[in-house]
């Protein structure tokens, strides 16, 4: 049974890698060279550079997801290990879709070698998924509740509706904190999830929110070239688009992200910004993460003991 499960997971990793490589080809094929070139030329280099910095900051935040998660399961690895597992898993998972499975399979390859059990790895994946939800909910609450002035009509909704929606988004992180403070275990069928410490939960909310704030900032840097658009409009639209992408499970939110953003923030010119964002946030990390993962597989197959020797130091 264990051998069969191991082979299934290995096949899952191989499938994720193949799909990721195919998506690079297929997704770039959606745009002609002239379209991509025109979109890139329309955005100044300083804006592209600023967007790339925010993209890098987002992926740095994502390494914090895994760092907190391994602390939660009481297997505190060194940061470089959590960063390697996180970046390889998410640079592939963001493009493949079904992140819990695709990035989860890559995480399994790393963490199983570092001595984590299957149950602990499942908790790591679940912890990271909860951090995603907390971050999205918290950023949405901030955008909706932040007082932007009496003349602000964010997304065409009234102030009362905006406040009510913001409070609803804020309720999720608050409820999570209360569960952690009072140590209330969460049960689902045969699963039992013990909440993290309040300090770890606060760190989850903080790093999750900062991650999505950085992503929204990257998009804003690119969109602001084409018109007077505020960061809060972009952040709110991105949260909505991200939720739609997660629900759809379309690889990389391909088409869903663009359609949702264009529906909320209409204007043909911003498609150039979205193309540039997709290249910076999805394809550039994938071009780095995929070879890094393959290289790590080859390296550690030749040195199977090197993971265990350095896993805790």
């Amino acid at each position: 049974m264990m051998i069969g499960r191991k082979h299934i997971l290995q096949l899952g990793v191989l499938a994720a890698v193949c799909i990721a490589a195919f998506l690079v080809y297929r997704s770039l094929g959606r745009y002609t060279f002239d379209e991509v070139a025109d979109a890139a030329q329309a955005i100044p280099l300083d804006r592209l550079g600023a967007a790339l910095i925010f993209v890098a900051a987002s992926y740095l935040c994502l390494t914090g997801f895994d760092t907190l998660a391994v602390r939660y399961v009481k297997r505190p690895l060194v940061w470089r290990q959590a960063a390697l597992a996180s970046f390889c898993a998410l640079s592939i998972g963001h493009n493949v879709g079904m992140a819990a499975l695709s990035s989860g399979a890559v995480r399994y390859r790393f963490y199983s070698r570092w001595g984590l059990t299957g149950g602990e790895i499942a908790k790591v994946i679940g912890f990271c998924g909860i951090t995603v939800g907390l971050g999205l909910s918290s950023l949405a609450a901030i955008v909706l509740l932040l007082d932007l002035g009496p003349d602000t009509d964010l997304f065409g909704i009234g102030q009362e509706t905006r406040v009510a929606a913001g409070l609803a988004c804020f309720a999720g992180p608050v409820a999570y904190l209360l569960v952690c403070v009072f140590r209330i275990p969460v049960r689902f069928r045969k699963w039992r999830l013990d909440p993290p410490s309040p300090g770890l939960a606060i760190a989850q909310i903080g790093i999750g929110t900062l991650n999505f704030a950085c992503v929204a900032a990257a998009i804003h840097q690119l969109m602001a070239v084409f018109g007077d658009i505020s960061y809060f409009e972009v952040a709110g639209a991105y949260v909505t688009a991200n939720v739609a992408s997660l629900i759809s499970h379309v690889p990389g939110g391909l088409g869903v992200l663009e359609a949702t953003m264009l529906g909320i923030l209409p204007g043909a010119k911003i498609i150039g910004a979205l193309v540039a964002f997709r290249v910076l946030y999805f394809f550039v990390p994938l071009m780095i993460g995929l070879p890094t993962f393959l290289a790590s597989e080859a390296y550690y197959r030749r040195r199977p003991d090197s993971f265990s020797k350095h896993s805790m130091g």
Side-chain angles (χ1 to χ4, degrees):
M1 178 64 70
M2 292 301 295
I3 294 177
R5 188 176 300 173
K6 180 180 178 181
H7 287 167
I8 290 173
L9 287 166
Q10 289 177 338
L11 288 173
V13 172
L14 178 61
V17 170
C18 292
I19 293 172
F22 170 72
L23 284 171
V24 173
Y25 169 79
R26 191 193 75 170
S27 299
L28 287 176
R30 290 169 57 89
Y31 309 101
T32 66
F33 176 80
D34 290 338
E35 287 174 326
V36 176
D38 290 344
Q41 290 173 2
I43 301 173
L45 286 178
D46 59 336
R47 290 283 189 173
L48 284 171
L52 187 58
I53 289 172
F54 282 117
V55 167
S58 169
Y59 275 89
L60 181 61
C61 289
L62 290 171
T63 67
F65 287 27
D66 283 64
T67 301
L68 295 174
V70 293
R71 289 182 181 177
Y72 166 65
V73 298
K74 296 179 173 55
R75 290 295 190 98
L77 306 173
V78 295
W79 176 81
R80 66 177 179 272
Q81 291 177 297
L84 176 64
S86 172
F87 181 75
C88 290
L90 293 174
S91 61
I92 294 173
H94 281 164
N95 287 273
V96 173
M98 297 292 291
L101 296 178
S102 56
S103 63
V106 177
R107 279 188 171 108
Y108 182 88
R109 293 295 294 163
F110 286 106
Y111 289 130
S112 61
R113 286 172 170 167
W114 289 325
L116 275 71
T117 66
E120 289 171 337
I121 296 171
K123 288 181 179 179
V124 166
I125 295 170
F127 185 95
C128 292
I130 291 172
T131 308
V132 168
L134 291 170
L136 280 174
S137 183
S138 298
L139 181 61
I142 291 171
V143 171
L144 291 165
L145 293 176
L146 193 62
D147 185 10
L148 303 177
D151 298 328
T152 300
D153 187 18
L154 193 62
F155 309 125
I157 62 176
Q159 187 170 359
E160 290 184 0
T161 303
R162 179 162 60 91
V163 170
L167 290 174
C169 292
F170 192 54
V174 170
Y176 182 74
L177 277 177
L178 290 175
V179 167
C180 295
V181 168
F182 293 104
R183 310 296 297 171
I184 304 171
V186 178
R187 291 181 174 84
F188 180 73
R189 295 182 179 176
K190 295 182 180 180
W191 290 86
R192 173 191 165 102
L193 182 64
D194 293 317
S197 66
L200 208 56
I202 291 172
Q204 268 186 283
I205 295 171
I207 199 73
T209 306
L210 182 59
N211 167 59
F212 289 111
C214 288
V215 179
I219 301 175
H220 178 253
Q221 286 296 316
L222 301 170
M223 282 190 171
V225 175
F226 302 103
D228 185 16
I229 184 171
S230 73
Y231 170 80
F232 300 99
E233 289 177 299
V234 173
Y238 172 69
V239 168
T240 304
N242 207 324
V243 171
S245 298
L246 291 172
I247 293 173
S248 69
H249 292 302
V250 173
L254 193 61
V256 179
L257 178 65
E258 288 83 354
T260 307
M261 294 290 289
L262 286 168
I264 298 174
L265 304 170
K269 288 185 178 180
I270 68 170
I271 189 63
L274 294 175
V275 171
F277 169 72
R278 183 164 290 281
V279 170
L280 292 178
Y281 194 81
F282 290 93
F283 300 144
V284 170
L286 181 61
M287 298 289 189
I288 301 170
L290 184 57
T292 300
F293 173 68
L294 295 175
S296 70
E297 283 287 294
Y299 178 76
Y300 289 114
R301 279 182 182 274
R302 291 196 299 268
R303 302 183 62 184
D305 295 334
S306 46
F307 266 97
S308 58
K309 288 179 181 178
H310 302 289
S311 63
M312 302 301 290

